[in-house]
Amino acid sequence: MDVIGIFQDLRVGLRSIRRRPGFFAAAVLTLALGLGAATAIFAVVQAALLRPLPFKEPARLRMVWGVAGPDRDVRGASPVEIDDWRRLTRSFESLSIYDRTTLNLSGDQAAQQLPAEIVSPGYLSLLGVTPTLGRGLRPEDDQPGAIGGAVISDALWKSRFGGDARVLGRSITLDDVPFTIVGVAPPGFRGLAFDAQIWAPLGPFVTPEALRARGSRWLGAVGRLRPGVTDAGVQADMDAATATLERLYPDANRRRGALVIGVKAYQLDRARQLLLALLAGVGLLLLIACANVANLQLVRTRDRRHELALRHALGASRGRVARQLITESVALSILGCAAGVFLAWIALGLLLPLVPPTALPLYAHVRLDPVVVATSVVTAVVAGVFVGTLPAWRADADVRQLRAVNATPGGWRKGRISLQQVLVAGQIALALVLLMSAGLAIRSMREQLAIDPGFRATGVLSATVSLTGDRYDAAARRRYAASLIDELRGLPGVADEGVGSDAPLRDGYSASILRRAGHPDDHIRYYRHAVSPSYFRTLGIPILRGRAFDAGDRSGAPGVAVISAAFAARLFPGVDPLGKHLVIGNDTATIVGIAGNVHFRDLTTDLMDPADDPDLYFSAAQVTPRTFTVLVRSAGDPALLAGSIRRAAASLDAAVPAYGIQPLERALAAQTALARLMSFLLGLFGTLSLLLAAVGLYGVTAYVVRGRQREMAVRLAIGARPAEVRRLVLRQSATVIVAGLIIGGAAALLTGRVLASLLYGVPAADPVILTATAGTLAAAALLATWVPASQASRVEPRSTLAE
């Protein structure tokens, strides 16, 4: 490699740049915008998609979930079912129960509700984790009725136990069940949930009968594949195992299967598609920026044609001249990269705090690490080579065609397509793709925001309370719930209050099976909610017919139920359901009311879709849950009531903390987090692409007009009107604009299909959005052309031709 020659090229290039500071500033700023956006998005993609998870050989880790029905809806699995998977398959080195949950930690200090994971004894070794203090879980820790062992996080060890090494063997209580601390996890380890602080086995929490109950399903599993096992192989292995279980246990395992997915895919969920879409979008933006700078370089190269011809005449080869131009472009790109990394650092600092917490997985710590910066530099070099190659090729042709010292730069000639026209048309096409994508994302977000959730979240604060252990039987739970409602009712600022087994758009809902009285073959899956009489009023859920629960619907009274409108339409089409009886296990409930549909699980599910299980409400005084959600409606800021709820719960039982306290509006906002993030970023990319495309078209048109100034002067001198000159320039620009719009329109329609899985309530090929974005882009492009066209129409023939 001719290092000395490259340094000479750089020195010559820098001198040339100093003579054209305007060109230098425009090129570096354009590249900085493109590379800065690309660097910021790649930092997010690197953190969420590319950086390996902090476990031993994470590529071999898989989550396993039970699925049911022809649509293979994800369901939980029972403990005995997971044991069967472990016994009947050969694809896993080890398989552990996995349940992400929360546990009440109590003892000689104030009670805390902490994120936890219920796991098998081999869980830590499966992940390749060795406790820094003590040991991991063993089989003897996992026995029903025994005092189990628990592992705590390093953070919990230091915050609650002061980092005391004598913590091993210390007794703690988890959900009123005694445990012994047997180990402390390494610093930074937070489990597969990335927020867990306690790891405990299942056995001490349940009875032997519960461990053997095949129909009691709420667990998942995590496994480590044997070396060489593929995803297809392990899924086939699991399919064979579940088919065997269906033959052996046709009642419990009818139409049951299992789904095996990667741990990272489980963590990412729909965010993976969003991140890939954003990465593609920022790639298009970078291409537009490169095309813009390439056009600037083409203009500059045509102005330097005499200089380059002289270098040829003095003996410089074509390759040497090409290297000079490419080296200059790479130097510009490196400078643009430096500015872009700085812009990315600023953008991440400003935007990351605004990103909804649910938009990215918990393990994704976004930062400009060496990998991100190195990738940006490599991208800048590639962009510089691309930007410099086209002008180098064009310069060679110009030098060979040069005939006279006074030759003028070429313009857009009729019947001849220039390289600049191709680049401008490409910019317009790519800009239309980005604008169309942004339009679809914004429309999808608006459709999601317009969904009626079925309840009023404004002013409602929710908190969770878990009543666990033998001391809280059904009667004690009813007394606690009634006392807590009385405490809340007396708080200043509380306009209404209620309790339920769960709240909309928050975890806690559970599914079960029922049948209609007189229909013994019914197996109707539904979501159950146990609620207080004031629950519907507090959340603003309308009772469409019949009544809500009242004080008479208490323990010992005949069982009653309120059904959702979707439940009524599905199970009692054309029939009045009021007064009908539902059979739940050995009990019967009479339907006394029909409530409006509520989006309990997510915002975008069609509640009237037969594929979605309907909702059924029971009186909390008759079916009292162990874990329930407290709801208070405030006339002011609901967050101000958080401390009051904690104190009210503690006053009733200091070992039962209120946790998960948050405004219900936050849970509602989390449902549209991905849509809002996608629409904002794609909208930003679309705006930048529109600006860059317009600036690129303006620059090229202005250059062409300058090169054809004498021609315009002649036309005006022989009688052409200024309007005719303007139309000439606009017509030639319009040809490029239309070509770009046609190509971009076709590409935008294809892109819409790719984005379809991320959209809601909007067709991927929406003609209104395509027309609006194409019209906006066309108007901006024509406006960018109008300025140089007007300048061309005002050329002074006498002074121009006299030069």
Side-chain angles (χ1 to χ4, degrees):
M1 179 182 292
D2 185 6
V3 177
I4 296 177
I6 292 177
F7 276 109
Q8 289 175 343
D9 292 341
L10 282 173
R11 191 168 59 252
V12 172
L14 290 174
R15 283 203 304 266
S16 176
I17 287 173
R18 282 199 299 267
R19 291 195 296 268
R20 297 287 299 275
F23 160 79
F24 167 76
V28 170
L29 178 60
T30 300
L31 288 171
L33 288 174
L35 289 167
T39 300
I41 294 300
F42 182 74
V44 178
V45 172
Q46 157 76 357
L49 288 179
L50 304 180
R51 191 178 296 142
L53 296 177
F55 308 120
K56 175 186 175 183
E57 298 182 82
R60 290 168 55 197
L61 296 176
R62 295 294 184 274
M63 303 299 301
V64 188
W65 301 101
V67 294
D71 296 327
R72 293 178 64 84
D73 296 326
V74 174
R75 303 282 189 255
S78 60
V80 67
E81 194 170 22
I82 294 175
D83 284 339
D84 289 334
W85 293 346
R86 186 184 296 115
R87 176 174 52 86
L88 294 173
T89 59
R90 297 293 179 267
S91 296
F92 293 103
E93 281 186 355
S94 56
L95 191 69
S96 169
I97 282 173
Y98 179 79
D99 183 34
R100 182 181 181 182
T101 185
T102 57
L103 296 173
N104 281 344
L105 169 62
S106 57
D108 56 0
Q109 299 182 49
Q112 288 179 272
Q113 182 70 207
L114 297 172
E117 292 177 333
I118 304 299
V119 296
S120 298
Y123 174 75
L124 293 181
S125 59
L126 183 152
L127 297 180
V129 174
T130 301
T132 54
L133 195 65
R135 61 172 176 84
L137 302 178
R138 294 174 179 170
E140 58 264 32
D141 299 317
D142 193 19
Q143 303 302 314
I147 295 179
V151 176
I152 63 174
S153 70
D154 180 80
L156 181 60
W157 175 48
K158 292 174 180 175
S159 64
R160 187 176 178 99
F161 302 101
D164 187 353
R166 293 173 297 178
V167 72
L168 298 180
R170 189 165 178 172
S171 296
I172 57 173
T173 301
L174 301 175
D175 280 4
D176 274 350
V177 177
F179 278 83
T180 300
I181 297 176
V182 299
V184 177
F189 176 73
R190 304 297 291 272
L192 287 174
F194 290 93
D195 66 353
Q197 296 207 52
I198 301 174
W199 294 270
L202 176 64
F205 290 108
V206 298
T207 64
E209 293 75 21
L211 289 176
R212 295 191 295 268
R214 291 192 169 275
S216 181
R217 297 183 171 106
W218 76 100
L219 298 168
V222 58
R224 177 174 291 279
L225 297 181
R226 296 183 186 277
V229 175
T230 63
D231 284 326
V234 66
Q235 186 62 63
D237 197 11
M238 288 299 303
D239 290 344
T242 55
T244 299
L245 292 176
E246 186 172 7
R247 288 195 302 271
L248 294 174
Y249 311 102
D251 292 336
N253 285 73
R254 178 173 172 265
R255 301 171 75 180
R256 289 275 302 175
L259 174 67
V260 184
I261 60 174
V263 169
K264 185 170 283 190
Y266 158 70
Q267 294 280 350
L268 284 168
D269 196 20
R270 294 179 70 237
R272 179 187 182 89
Q273 297 169 285
L274 171 62
L275 291 174
L276 291 176
L278 293 177
L279 189 61
V282 82
L284 295 181
L285 180 65
L286 182 56
L287 279 177
I288 294 173
C290 288
N292 209 325
V293 176
N295 255 331
L296 290 174
Q297 285 279 55
L298 283 170
V299 171
R300 183 166 170 266
T301 301
R302 294 297 293 269
D303 287 344
R304 296 172 63 190
R305 68 198 186 286
H306 295 299
E307 170 200 335
L308 299 177
L310 180 60
R311 295 191 67 184
H312 262 297
L314 293 176
S317 65
R318 293 175 181 173
R320 185 71 174 78
V321 172
R323 192 183 72 183
Q324 169 70 49
L325 295 175
I326 293 174
T327 301
E328 291 177 11
S329 294
V330 171
L332 280 175
S333 293
I334 295 298
L335 292 172
C337 176
V341 169
F342 178 68
L343 289 178
W345 177 72
I346 293 176
L348 290 175
L350 293 175
L351 297 179
L352 282 178
L354 304 178
V355 174
T358 55
L360 295 173
L362 291 176
Y363 65 79
H365 301 294
V366 181
R367 60 184 184 272
L368 292 179
D369 61 19
V371 174
V372 174
V373 175
T375 303
S376 182
V377 172
V378 171
T379 304
V381 171
V382 172
V385 172
F386 166 76
V387 167
T389 299
L390 294 179
W393 174 76
R394 183 70 262 175
D396 181 63
D398 284 347
V399 169
R400 285 187 281 108
Q401 293 173 6
L402 196 61
R403 292 291 182 265
V405 174
N406 292 326
T408 58
W412 294 355
R413 303 299 183 187
K414 183 177 181 180
R416 190 178 80 182
I417 300 175
S418 72
L419 184 57
Q420 289 172 293
Q421 286 176 299
V422 172
L423 288 174
V424 170
Q427 285 180 270
I428 292 173
L430 294 176
L432 182 55
V433 171
L434 281 175
L435 284 172
M436 174 74 171
S437 301
L440 290 172
I442 293 171
R443 171 78 183 278
S444 175
M445 179 192 67
R446 292 180 61 186
E447 291 292 331
Q448 290 188 40
L449 293 175
I451 295 173
D452 179 6
F455 63 94
R456 290 189 294 113
T458 305
V460 175
L461 190 70
S462 62
T464 305
V465 174
S466 293
L467 304 176
T468 56
D470 294 337
R471 63 194 181 96
Y472 276 110
D473 57 14
R477 296 197 298 272
R478 286 193 294 270
R479 288 194 297 271
Y480 182 97
S483 298
L484 185 56
I485 288 178
D486 289 340
E487 291 282 338
L488 296 174
R489 188 175 294 124
L491 294 176
V494 172
D496 220 332
E497 70 292 315
V499 299
S501 56
D502 56 343
L505 305 178
R506 294 197 60 181
D507 294 337
Y509 46 82
S510 61
S512 190
I513 302 295
L514 60 74
R515 58 187 173 86
R516 292 168 292 180
H519 295 74
D521 295 330
D522 274 350
H523 290 278
I524 302 162
R525 192 172 187 276
Y526 70 98
Y527 285 100
R528 58 187 298 148
H529 315 280
V531 303
S532 66
S534 57
Y535 182 91
F536 298 103
R537 184 179 67 248
T538 303
L539 286 178
I541 301 172
I543 299 298
L544 305 179
R545 295 188 58 211
R547 65 174 177 86
F549 302 121
D550 57 32
D553 300 319
R554 59 187 181 276
S555 177
V560 293
V562 173
I563 62 176
S564 67
F567 193 110
R570 199 158 317 150
L571 272 71
F572 301 98
V575 178
D576 184 2
L578 295 181
K580 299 293 184 182
H581 302 293
L582 300 173
V583 180
I584 303 101
N586 296 322
D587 299 321
T588 301
T590 302
I591 298 173
V592 297
I594 302 174
N597 289 327
V598 175
H599 287 271
F600 267 96
R601 292 159 292 285
D602 64 76
L603 195 60
T604 57
T605 297
D606 181 1
L607 295 176
M608 301 303 291
D609 186 343
D612 184 62
D613 299 316
D615 294 288
L616 177 61
Y617 303 89
F618 299 102
S619 170
Q622 295 181 333
V623 182
T624 310
R626 285 192 175 273
T627 298
F628 58 85
T629 300
V630 182
L631 299 166
V632 293
R633 178 175 293 282
S634 169
D637 182 0
L640 298 177
L641 294 173
S644 299
I645 292 178
R646 289 192 183 93
R647 288 189 292 272
S651 69
L652 297 176
D653 189 337
V656 179
Y659 63 96
I661 302 177
Q662 68 170 357
L664 206 53
E665 283 184 295
R666 188 182 302 171
L668 183 59
Q671 290 288 308
T672 58
L674 287 178
R676 286 182 282 118
L677 180 62
M678 181 173 69
S679 61
F680 172 75
L681 290 177
L682 286 181
L684 179 61
F685 297 161
T687 302
L688 288 175
S689 70
L690 176 65
L691 177 63
L692 289 175
V695 169
L697 182 59
Y698 167 79
V700 172
T701 306
Y703 166 73
V704 170
V705 167
R706 182 165 57 86
R708 298 176 62 184
Q709 203 168 34
R710 294 177 64 86
E711 174 193 339
M712 302 303 177
V714 170
R715 289 177 178 273
L716 291 169
I718 62 176
R721 294 191 300 273
E724 292 175 333
V725 173
R726 281 196 301 270
R727 281 197 299 270
L728 173 66
V729 177
L730 291 172
R731 185 169 59 249
Q732 292 180 340
S733 297
T735 302
V736 177
I737 295 170
V738 170
L741 291 176
I742 292 174
I743 298 170
L749 293 176
L750 293 175
T751 303
R753 295 182 180 180
V754 176
L755 292 175
S757 61
L758 293 171
L759 302 176
Y760 172 81
V762 54
D766 192 320
V768 175
I769 294 177
L770 179 59
T771 302
T773 53
T776 301
L777 182 56
L782 288 174
L783 180 62
T785 306
W786 178 266
V787 177
S790 296
Q791 292 173 345
S793 68
R794 293 195 297 269
V795 169
E796 177 58 46
R798 180 175 300 177
S799 59
T800 301
L801 295 175
E803 293 177 357

